[in-house]
Amino acid sequence: MHKKGCSKSVCQCFIVPNYILENMALNDVEAARVSLAKSRQMRRRRIFKEYDIKGVTALTDAGSGRHGESARHVYDCKGGTKLRVNEARKEGDRSSGDHVVNQAYDYSGVVRDYFKEVLHRNSMDNEGLDLILNVHYGNKFTNAYWDGDEMVFGDGDGIIFSNFADSLDVIGHELTHGVTQFTSGLEYEGQSGALNEHLSDVFGVTIKQYHLKQTAADADWLIGADIMGPTLKGQALRSMKAPGTAFDNKLMGKDLQPDHMRNFYKGERDNHGVHINSGIPNKAFYLVSMEIGTDKAALIWFDAMQNLFATANFNQFVQVVIKAAQKLADGGTVPHTAIKTIEDAFKAVGLPE
């Protein structure tokens, strides 16, 4: 079902923060300058997009899936900026001759199936919402984003960033923004916005580990390592294991993420630090996963995700996560030791304050 989102305020959530693109633009990376201008233009137009809160409205009659089943639709922008123009592959179609189209199709299926089979959630809205993915967006567009309806992926410049649809954790991250939109609706600013980004990072890495059959100890805990071009291979956008260490180079600058509340970013950049301060709860999730396993930690975080409210801050998030752990432990889903593990992990990053 192609359907319209039903949250009053919908963020336009980009995987690459503006402060990275700004640094690249200052270093004469033309693709970053163009992408930054395009991102700002889109943010002005859609950052808080209004939807009809009274009900769900059909956008199109896809006809590719039965009622209640989430179908994938991959569109090829062919270097342009119009969305949903050239459908390159839809649910059930044979493989395309375009590797990027196939990656977007396959990886979105992995994410959809994880939410359905492991977390028992039927797509982003739990009602079988179709997954709309637009690839080859713009000319060397160096970003990917969720806009409240659909996902958009640039090809990168091939030097600093490669294709953004070529990363399972990036697609998992962006799709999780959709799940957040239909659950807690976390506002995309300050601490609630950092939690929004945090949850997307959590399920981006969790789904990657699940797909690769990795343990917490085996995983690299990086977001965006697969989209780094040949110039910056070995670096990433974020590290959940060691926030603040994902990148350090002239083009991107220095990773600004803190791993403790003592270094909490209080400035106005990045919507008051949504991509920056997410490093603090990210580190806590990593610590919990190392003790009880990423699979168990993700079950707790997903339960908490559904019980948050739009303006939740870090302290409130801690309490919701602990309550989720208590509930799941009482039901035998996670060990009772998870509660103390979570308390210790948040204490290690300075929470609650």
Side-chain angles (χ1 to χ4, degrees), residues 112-130:
R112 176 194 62 186
D113 293 348
Y114 171 84
F115 274 102
K116 187 170 186 178
E117 295 168 10
V118 178
L119 301 178
H120 310 295
R121 186 172 184 85
N122 185 11
S123 191
M124 293 177 285
D125 64 344
N126 206 27
E127 294 182 5
L129 185 72
D130 281 359

Side-chain angles (χ1 to χ4, degrees), residues 135-146:
V135 301
H136 298 309
Y137 177 85
N139 180 24
K140 299 182 180 180
F141 185 67
T142 55
N143 225 325
Y145 65 91
W146 161 258

